[in-house]
Amino acid sequence: MDFRGIINRVKSNSFFRNVAILASGTIISQIIVIAFSPLLSRLYSVEAFGLLSLFTSYMVISGVVSTGRFELAIGLPEKDSEAKKLFQLILFIGFFVSLTYLGVIIILKEFFKDQLELQILNYWWIYLAPLYIFFIAVFSASVYWLQRKKEYKKITFANALQVITTTICSVALGFMKLGEGMIFALILGIIISSFYIIYSEPELKKELLVFKDIKKVGKEYISFPRYMLFSDLSLTASQQFIPILFSIIYSTTIVGFFQWPIEC
Protein backbone atom coordinates (compact mmCIF):
# COMPACT_ATOMS: atom_id res chain seq x y z
CA MET A 1 0.00 0.00 0.00
CA ASP A 2 1.40 3.41 -0.98
CA PHE A 3 1.57 6.48 1.24
CA ARG A 4 -1.62 7.99 -0.24
CA GLY A 5 -3.49 4.78 0.50
CA ILE A 6 -2.36 4.89 4.12
CA ILE A 7 -3.55 8.50 4.45
CA ASN A 8 -6.93 7.62 2.96
CA ARG A 9 -7.28 4.69 5.33
CA VAL A 10 -6.50 6.88 8.32
CA LYS A 11 -9.07 9.46 7.18
CA SER A 12 -11.77 6.83 6.73
CA ASN A 13 -11.21 5.28 10.18
CA SER A 14 -12.49 7.47 12.99
CA PHE A 15 -10.19 5.90 15.59
CA PHE A 16 -7.01 6.44 13.56
CA ARG A 17 -8.21 9.90 12.59
CA ASN A 18 -8.71 10.92 16.22
CA VAL A 19 -5.33 9.47 17.22
CA ALA A 20 -3.70 11.41 14.38
CA ILE A 21 -5.39 14.63 15.51
CA LEU A 22 -4.17 14.22 19.11
CA ALA A 23 -0.69 13.20 17.96
CA SER A 24 -0.42 16.23 15.68
CA GLY A 25 -0.97 18.54 18.64
CA THR A 26 1.80 16.85 20.60
CA ILE A 27 4.16 17.02 17.62
CA ILE A 28 3.44 20.71 17.02
CA SER A 29 3.96 21.49 20.69
CA GLN A 30 7.30 19.68 20.80
CA ILE A 31 8.48 21.42 17.64
CA ILE A 32 7.68 24.80 19.20
CA VAL A 33 9.54 23.93 22.41
CA ILE A 34 12.60 22.68 20.53
CA ALA A 35 12.62 25.68 18.18
CA PHE A 36 12.59 28.21 21.03
CA SER A 37 14.92 26.32 23.39
CA PRO A 38 18.14 27.94 22.07
CA LEU A 39 16.62 31.40 22.57
CA LEU A 40 15.33 30.59 26.05
CA SER A 41 18.73 29.23 27.05
CA ARG A 42 20.20 32.64 26.31
CA LEU A 43 17.46 34.66 27.97
CA TYR A 44 17.44 32.72 31.25
CA SER A 45 20.12 31.46 33.59
CA VAL A 46 20.69 27.87 34.63
CA GLU A 47 19.24 28.72 38.04
CA ALA A 48 16.03 29.96 36.38
CA PHE A 49 15.60 26.60 34.67
CA GLY A 50 16.27 24.90 37.98
CA LEU A 51 13.56 26.93 39.68
CA LEU A 52 11.17 26.10 36.85
CA SER A 53 11.90 22.39 37.20
CA LEU A 54 11.50 22.55 40.97
CA PHE A 55 8.25 24.51 40.74
CA THR A 56 6.87 22.08 38.14
CA SER A 57 7.78 19.05 40.25
CA TYR A 58 5.98 20.35 43.33
CA MET A 59 2.95 21.45 41.31
CA VAL A 60 2.56 18.23 39.34
CA ILE A 61 2.53 16.25 42.59
CA SER A 62 0.06 18.66 44.16
CA GLY A 63 -2.09 18.66 41.03
CA VAL A 64 -2.88 14.96 41.47
CA VAL A 65 -4.63 15.75 44.74
CA SER A 66 -6.44 18.80 43.34
CA THR A 67 -8.86 16.69 41.26
CA GLY A 68 -9.35 13.73 43.56
CA ARG A 69 -8.98 11.70 40.33
CA PHE A 70 -12.67 12.31 39.68
CA GLU A 71 -11.79 13.51 36.17
CA LEU A 72 -11.30 9.86 35.22
CA ALA A 73 -15.02 9.31 35.80
CA ILE A 74 -16.30 12.12 33.56
CA GLY A 75 -16.65 9.82 30.57
CA LEU A 76 -18.71 7.20 32.41
CA PRO A 77 -22.16 8.71 33.12
CA GLU A 78 -24.84 8.15 30.50
CA LYS A 79 -26.20 11.68 30.92
CA ASP A 80 -24.19 14.85 30.36
CA SER A 81 -25.88 16.43 33.36
CA GLU A 82 -24.19 13.95 35.68
CA ALA A 83 -20.85 14.44 33.95
CA LYS A 84 -21.22 18.20 34.48
CA LYS A 85 -21.76 17.59 38.18
CA LEU A 86 -18.46 15.68 38.24
CA PHE A 87 -16.83 18.66 36.55
CA GLN A 88 -18.31 20.99 39.17
CA LEU A 89 -17.16 18.64 41.93
CA ILE A 90 -13.60 18.82 40.59
CA LEU A 91 -13.75 22.63 40.59
CA PHE A 92 -14.93 22.57 44.20
CA ILE A 93 -12.18 20.13 45.25
CA GLY A 94 -9.56 22.08 43.32
CA PHE A 95 -10.58 25.34 45.00
CA PHE A 96 -10.55 23.77 48.46
CA VAL A 97 -7.17 22.08 47.89
CA SER A 98 -5.70 25.34 46.54
CA LEU A 99 -6.81 27.24 49.64
CA THR A 100 -5.32 24.50 51.81
CA TYR A 101 -2.00 24.73 49.98
CA LEU A 102 -2.03 28.51 50.35
CA GLY A 103 -2.43 28.12 54.11
CA VAL A 104 0.39 25.56 54.22
CA ILE A 105 2.67 27.83 52.18
CA ILE A 106 1.99 30.82 54.45
CA ILE A 107 2.71 28.76 57.56
CA LEU A 108 5.89 27.19 56.16
CA LYS A 109 7.23 30.41 54.68
CA GLU A 110 6.47 32.70 57.58
CA PHE A 111 7.17 30.42 60.55
CA PHE A 112 9.29 27.45 59.47
CA LYS A 113 11.38 28.77 56.56
CA ASP A 114 14.62 28.69 58.57
CA GLN A 115 13.99 25.16 59.86
CA LEU A 116 13.18 23.60 56.48
CA GLU A 117 15.65 23.07 53.64
CA LEU A 118 13.14 24.05 50.95
CA GLN A 119 14.76 26.61 48.67
CA ILE A 120 11.53 27.28 46.83
CA LEU A 121 10.13 28.96 49.96
CA ASN A 122 12.68 31.75 49.56
CA TYR A 123 10.80 33.27 46.62
CA TRP A 124 7.70 35.46 46.79
CA TRP A 125 6.10 33.91 43.70
CA ILE A 126 5.53 30.68 45.62
CA TYR A 127 2.24 32.32 46.66
CA LEU A 128 1.10 31.86 43.03
CA ALA A 129 1.40 28.08 43.37
CA PRO A 130 -2.21 27.58 44.62
CA LEU A 131 -3.49 29.44 41.55
CA TYR A 132 -1.56 27.08 39.29
CA ILE A 133 -2.78 24.04 41.25
CA PHE A 134 -6.39 25.15 40.84
CA PHE A 135 -6.06 25.56 37.09
CA ILE A 136 -4.38 22.17 36.82
CA ALA A 137 -7.67 20.79 38.13
CA VAL A 138 -9.71 22.97 35.77
CA PHE A 139 -7.65 22.05 32.71
CA SER A 140 -7.60 18.34 33.52
CA ALA A 141 -11.36 18.20 34.05
CA SER A 142 -11.97 20.24 30.90
CA VAL A 143 -9.86 17.92 28.76
CA TYR A 144 -11.73 14.86 30.02
CA TRP A 145 -15.00 16.62 29.26
CA LEU A 146 -13.81 17.20 25.70
CA GLN A 147 -12.85 13.53 25.46
CA ARG A 148 -16.38 12.63 26.51
CA LYS A 149 -17.77 14.89 23.78
CA LYS A 150 -15.19 13.54 21.30
CA GLU A 151 -13.92 17.05 20.63
CA TYR A 152 -10.41 15.93 19.79
CA LYS A 153 -9.62 18.98 17.67
CA LYS A 154 -10.36 21.21 20.64
CA ILE A 155 -8.08 19.10 22.84
CA THR A 156 -5.30 19.43 20.30
CA PHE A 157 -5.81 23.17 19.99
CA ALA A 158 -5.97 23.63 23.77
CA ASN A 159 -2.69 21.77 24.29
CA ALA A 160 -1.03 23.70 21.48
CA LEU A 161 -2.43 26.97 22.83
CA GLN A 162 -0.96 26.24 26.25
CA VAL A 163 2.49 25.53 24.83
CA ILE A 164 2.42 28.51 22.45
CA THR A 165 1.24 30.91 25.15
CA THR A 166 3.81 29.63 27.63
CA THR A 167 6.62 29.88 25.09
CA ILE A 168 5.74 33.35 23.79
CA CYS A 169 5.27 34.73 27.31
CA SER A 170 8.56 33.13 28.41
CA VAL A 171 10.41 34.85 25.55
CA ALA A 172 8.68 38.19 26.17
CA LEU A 173 9.37 38.13 29.91
CA GLY A 174 12.92 36.97 29.22
CA PHE A 175 13.57 40.06 27.12
CA MET A 176 12.21 42.08 30.04
CA LYS A 177 14.94 40.49 32.22
CA LEU A 178 12.41 38.89 34.54
CA GLY A 179 14.11 35.89 36.12
CA GLU A 180 10.84 34.24 37.10
CA GLY A 181 9.43 34.73 33.60
CA MET A 182 9.12 31.06 32.71
CA ILE A 183 7.14 30.32 35.87
CA PHE A 184 4.75 33.21 35.21
CA ALA A 185 4.43 32.07 31.60
CA LEU A 186 3.64 28.52 32.74
CA ILE A 187 0.80 29.82 34.91
CA LEU A 188 -0.55 32.08 32.15
CA GLY A 189 -0.43 29.22 29.65
CA ILE A 190 -2.65 26.89 31.65
CA ILE A 191 -5.06 29.70 32.62
CA ILE A 192 -5.59 30.81 29.01
CA SER A 193 -5.99 27.25 27.69
CA SER A 194 -8.47 26.44 30.50
CA PHE A 195 -10.58 29.49 29.72
CA TYR A 196 -10.51 28.61 26.04
CA ILE A 197 -12.04 25.19 26.70
CA ILE A 198 -14.66 26.48 29.12
CA TYR A 199 -15.80 29.34 26.90
CA SER A 200 -15.85 27.09 23.83
CA GLU A 201 -18.20 24.68 25.61
CA PRO A 202 -21.54 26.41 26.38
CA GLU A 203 -22.67 23.51 28.57
CA LEU A 204 -19.74 24.03 30.94
CA LYS A 205 -19.85 27.82 30.80
CA LYS A 206 -23.55 27.96 31.61
CA GLU A 207 -23.34 25.99 34.87
CA LEU A 208 -19.75 26.68 35.80
CA LEU A 209 -20.41 27.79 39.39
CA VAL A 210 -23.44 25.62 40.13
CA PHE A 211 -22.52 23.09 42.82
CA LYS A 212 -25.87 21.38 43.30
CA ASP A 213 -25.86 17.63 44.11
CA ILE A 214 -22.07 17.36 43.81
CA LYS A 215 -21.96 15.48 47.13
CA LYS A 216 -24.27 12.84 45.71
CA VAL A 217 -22.20 12.31 42.56
CA GLY A 218 -19.04 12.30 44.68
CA LYS A 219 -20.36 9.38 46.73
CA GLU A 220 -21.35 7.53 43.57
CA TYR A 221 -17.84 7.69 42.12
CA ILE A 222 -15.89 7.58 45.39
CA SER A 223 -13.98 4.52 44.14
CA PHE A 224 -11.80 6.73 41.95
CA PRO A 225 -10.11 8.68 44.76
CA ARG A 226 -10.24 5.61 46.99
CA TYR A 227 -8.30 3.36 44.61
CA MET A 228 -6.54 5.76 42.23
CA LEU A 229 -5.42 8.71 44.32
CA PHE A 230 -2.69 7.06 46.36
CA SER A 231 -1.29 4.99 43.49
CA ASP A 232 -1.21 7.95 41.08
CA LEU A 233 0.26 10.20 43.76
CA SER A 234 3.01 7.65 44.48
CA LEU A 235 3.80 7.26 40.78
CA THR A 236 3.91 11.01 40.17
CA ALA A 237 6.03 11.64 43.26
CA SER A 238 8.57 9.00 42.19
CA GLN A 239 8.83 10.64 38.75
CA GLN A 240 9.24 14.16 40.15
CA PHE A 241 11.45 13.27 43.11
CA ILE A 242 14.87 13.92 41.54
CA PRO A 243 14.62 17.74 41.16
CA ILE A 244 13.27 18.07 44.70
CA LEU A 245 15.99 15.85 46.15
CA PHE A 246 18.77 17.65 44.26
CA SER A 247 17.47 21.04 45.41
CA ILE A 248 17.68 19.87 49.03
CA ILE A 249 21.15 18.31 48.73
CA TYR A 250 22.69 20.84 46.34
CA SER A 251 21.05 23.93 44.85
CA THR A 252 18.61 25.06 42.20
CA THR A 253 21.55 25.73 39.89
CA ILE A 254 22.46 22.04 39.93
CA VAL A 255 18.82 21.19 39.25
CA GLY A 256 18.93 23.58 36.30
CA PHE A 257 21.61 21.54 34.53
CA PHE A 258 19.04 18.76 34.14
CA GLN A 259 16.51 21.19 32.64
CA TRP A 260 18.66 23.67 30.73
CA PRO A 261 18.20 23.41 26.95
CA ILE A 262 21.18 22.35 24.85
CA GLU A 263 22.89 25.40 23.38
CA CYS A 264 23.32 25.56 19.64
Side-chain angles (χ1 to χ4, degrees):
M1 182 181 295
D2 58 5
F3 181 74
R4 183 176 296 178
I6 295 175
I7 296 298
N8 292 331
R9 185 175 180 181
V10 170
K11 289 182 178 179
S12 62
N13 188 299
S14 60
F15 174 77
F16 288 120
R17 185 170 63 251
N18 293 332
V19 171
I21 291 172
L22 293 175
S24 64
T26 302
I27 294 172
I28 292 172
S29 300
Q30 291 302 315
I31 290 175
I32 293 172
V33 172
I34 294 172
F36 280 88
S37 289
L39 178 59
L40 291 174
S41 68
R42 287 160 175 79
L43 292 174
Y44 294 95
S45 64
V46 179
E47 183 181 5
F49 280 95
L51 288 174
L52 174 65
S53 179
L54 191 59
F55 180 82
T56 304
S57 296
Y58 278 113
M59 294 307 101
V60 169
I61 295 173
S62 303
V64 175
V65 183
S66 68
T67 64
R69 309 313 284 162
F70 280 107
E71 75 273 22
L72 300 174
I74 289 179
L76 297 181
E78 294 183 3
K79 297 181 180 179
D80 286 346
S81 58
E82 190 171 347
K84 282 188 288 186
K85 294 185 187 303
L86 280 169
F87 182 86
Q88 295 157 3
L89 175 63
I90 293 170
L91 294 187
F92 181 83
I93 294 173
F95 182 74
F96 177 77
V97 171
S98 298
L99 285 181
T100 302
Y101 275 116
L102 179 60
V104 171
I105 289 171
I106 293 174
I107 293 173
L108 293 180
K109 186 172 175 60
E110 300 300 330
F111 300 101
F112 297 100
K113 183 175 67 174
D114 297 332
Q115 287 76 30
L116 297 174
E117 294 295 330
L118 297 177
Q119 298 184 35
I120 198 170
L121 293 176
N122 296 326
Y123 301 91
W124 67 268
W125 43 257
I126 190 61
Y127 290 116
L128 297 177
L131 179 66
Y132 186 64
I133 292 171
F134 173 71
F135 276 98
I136 287 177
V138 176
F139 184 76
S140 179
S142 301
V143 168
Y144 275 90
W145 170 265
L146 292 180
Q147 288 183 4
R148 173 185 175 85
K149 306 299 289 186
K150 298 182 180 177
E151 296 282 359
Y152 300 108
K153 289 183 179 179
K154 285 186 180 180
I155 295 175
T156 299
F157 184 81
N159 288 328
L161 178 63
Q162 181 179 357
V163 174
I164 292 171
T165 302
T166 301
T167 304
I168 292 176
C169 291
S170 295
V171 172
L173 295 174
F175 278 114
M176 295 170 61
K177 306 297 182 182
L178 190 63
E180 307 88 357
M182 288 187 293
I183 294 175
F184 295 156
L186 188 69
I187 298 173
L188 286 173
I190 197 169
I191 290 176
I192 291 174
S193 57
S194 297
F195 274 110
Y196 159 73
I197 297 177
I198 291 174
Y199 279 90
S200 66
E201 288 292 309
E203 293 182 74
L204 292 182
K205 181 182 176 182
K206 184 179 179 180
E207 302 181 22
L208 184 62
L209 299 178
V210 178
F211 301 112
K212 186 178 180 180
D213 296 330
I214 59 173
K215 186 177 180 180
K216 178 181 178 181
V217 77
K219 290 182 178 179
E220 184 175 352
Y221 294 95
I222 192 64
S223 58
F224 283 88
R226 179 179 296 168
Y227 298 111
M228 298 297 296
L229 186 58
F230 181 75
S231 61
D232 288 353
L233 185 61
S234 300
L235 176 61
T236 304
S238 65
Q239 294 172 338
Q240 302 295 328
F241 183 66
I242 295 299
I244 297 174
L245 178 63
F246 274 37
S247 68
I248 295 174
I249 299 177
Y250 302 109
S251 65
T252 52
T253 302
I254 299 299
V255 177
F257 281 113
F258 290 90
Q259 184 77 15
W260 205 29
I262 299 174
E263 294 193 29
C264 297

